[in-house]
Amino acid sequence: MKFEGMELLMVFSTIIILTMVVIMALLYSTFLRKRTDLLLKEREKELKFEQELALSQVEIKEQTLSYIGRELHDDLGQKLSVAKMMNNKFFTAEQPLSTDIAKEMNLLIGECINDIRNLSKMFITDQVAHFGLLDSLEREVKRIKKLGFVKVELQTNVCCVEMDSKHAVILFRILQECLNNALKHSKAKSISISVNSSPEILYIAIKDDGIGMVQKLEYDGVGIRSMKKRAEMINADFKILSEKNNGTEIIIQYTAKRA
């Protein structure tokens, strides 16, 4: 009887040990699966971010090339045409008229050289990374002002906000898209942009006095969904406030990640 009792104890002990081993194996397997899933999700998130970054960079370059093309044709081309006519007139003019023409030509050529220098800066591959978000936004505002379609004002009160350069590229593309939408669809006469910050938060508001958005479809269009998705990727809030015939305001709040 004593021997049978020992056998039963050994059987029960073995069963308990095997059960614990199985449970630990299952727990470890579950841990590994969840860890793998988490790593895959993180990798997928990184890949999506890199894709959006690459797309934003391409879109910024396309916008830049389009602007440069217009400038070369409409502005620089016209100035050089005038300089050519003045040059032809210079050879047939008599003193003191020829001296005045030469001075005007000199000023005009100087403007052309300055315009070419400014345009050459636009060819910098990583414009936002090179100039910074705020400087790039100021350049964009100057570009819009030059078009003469709408009055644009930019007010800034920014202290040092640490921002990943990749985040800055995507944020700049969102702002660029907001401004382009206002120019194309809002029928606004004026656009105001305010940029404020604390050490960890960048607050940007873009407001126009246009026709506003009254249909749900306008709030949920492909362009707006794309901007919202990009904002989420860089840890930013994206809000739209709009009423019929009372303009549209877009508010973006970017929060820098703490170390």
Side-chain angles (χ1 to χ4, degrees):
M1 292 292 292
K2 188 173 181 181
F3 183 73
E4 288 180 1
M6 289 293 293
E7 281 187 335
L8 286 173
L9 182 61
M10 289 179 66
V11 169
F12 282 129
S13 299
T14 303
I15 292 172
I16 291 171
I17 292 170
L18 287 174
T19 303
M20 291 181 64
V21 169
V22 169
I23 291 171
M24 290 179 67
L26 288 172
L27 288 172
Y28 185 66
S29 176
T30 303
F31 168 75
L32 285 179
R33 188 173 65 253
K34 288 186 176 181
R35 184 172 179 270
T36 302
D37 290 343
L38 182 62
L39 289 173
L40 287 173
K41 286 180 181 179
E42 286 294 324
R43 182 57 183 160
E44 184 181 355
K45 187 177 179 181
E46 288 175 5
L47 287 173
K48 285 183 178 179
F49 178 81
E50 292 298 329
Q51 288 172 354
E52 286 296 332
L53 176 63
L55 182 59
S56 296
Q57 289 172 328
V58 169
E59 289 170 344
I60 290 171
K61 289 174 185 177
E62 288 177 351
Q63 183 90 2
T64 299
L65 288 173
S66 177
Y67 168 68
I68 289 171
R70 287 196 302 269
E71 286 294 294
L72 288 173
H73 180 270
D74 299 338
D75 188 27
L76 195 58
Q78 292 294 329
K79 286 179 180 178
L80 290 173
S81 295
V82 172
K84 182 180 178 181
M85 288 187 291
M86 292 175 69
N87 183 62
N88 293 335
K89 190 175 180 181
F90 172 78
F91 287 109
T92 59
E94 296 180 354
Q95 290 283 358
L97 183 59
S98 61
T99 302
D100 293 336
I101 293 173
K103 288 180 181 178
E104 290 180 18
M105 282 178 58
N106 188 51
L107 290 172
L108 192 58
I109 291 171
E111 287 182 18
C112 290
I113 292 170
N114 189 52
D115 289 344
I116 291 170
R117 284 174 178 167
N118 289 333
L119 287 175
S120 68
K121 293 176 182 178
M122 301 291 289
F123 278 109
I124 293 174
T125 306
D126 299 318
Q127 176 186 326
V128 181
H130 182 85
F131 293 111
L133 176 66
L134 193 57
D135 283 351
S136 296
L137 182 58
E138 288 175 349
R139 288 169 179 272
E140 190 69 11
V141 168
K142 286 180 182 178
R143 178 185 72 81
I144 294 171
K145 284 182 176 179
K146 205 164 187 179
L147 294 174
F149 296 148
V150 64
K151 181 182 177 182
V152 187
E153 290 185 359
L154 172 63
Q155 295 181 339
T156 60
N157 181 22
V158 180
C159 63
C160 183
V161 176
E162 299 222 358
M163 181 183 295
D164 188 301
S165 60
K166 293 179 180 179
H167 287 195
V169 169
I170 292 177
L171 180 55
F172 176 71
R173 181 55 194 156
I174 294 171
L175 298 175
Q176 210 175 38
E177 189 68 18
C178 290
L179 292 170
N180 285 342
N181 287 343
L183 290 172
K184 291 178 182 177
H185 308 299
S186 72
K187 298 182 181 179
K189 294 181 180 178
S190 66
I191 300 173
S192 64
I193 308 163
S194 64
V195 184
N196 298 285
S197 72
S198 68
E200 293 179 352
I201 297 175
L202 186 66
Y203 181 91
I204 303 171
I206 300 175
K207 184 174 176 60
D208 66 60
D209 61 355
I211 59 175
M213 290 186 288
V214 293
Q215 298 179 5
K216 186 178 184 299
L217 183 63
E218 291 177 293
Y219 279 96
D220 199 33
V222 175
I224 290 176
R225 287 205 307 270
S226 176
M227 287 188 284
K228 286 181 178 179
K229 182 178 74 173
R230 286 177 172 177
E232 288 174 4
M233 284 185 165
I234 61 171
N235 199 35
D237 292 326
F238 183 97
K239 295 180 182 177
I240 297 177
L241 306 174
S242 185
E243 294 180 5
K244 184 178 179 181
N245 298 323
N246 199 29
T248 299
E249 183 175 18
I250 294 176
I251 300 169
I252 301 169
Q253 185 172 300
Y254 172 84
T255 304
K257 289 185 177 180
R258 296 183 181 181

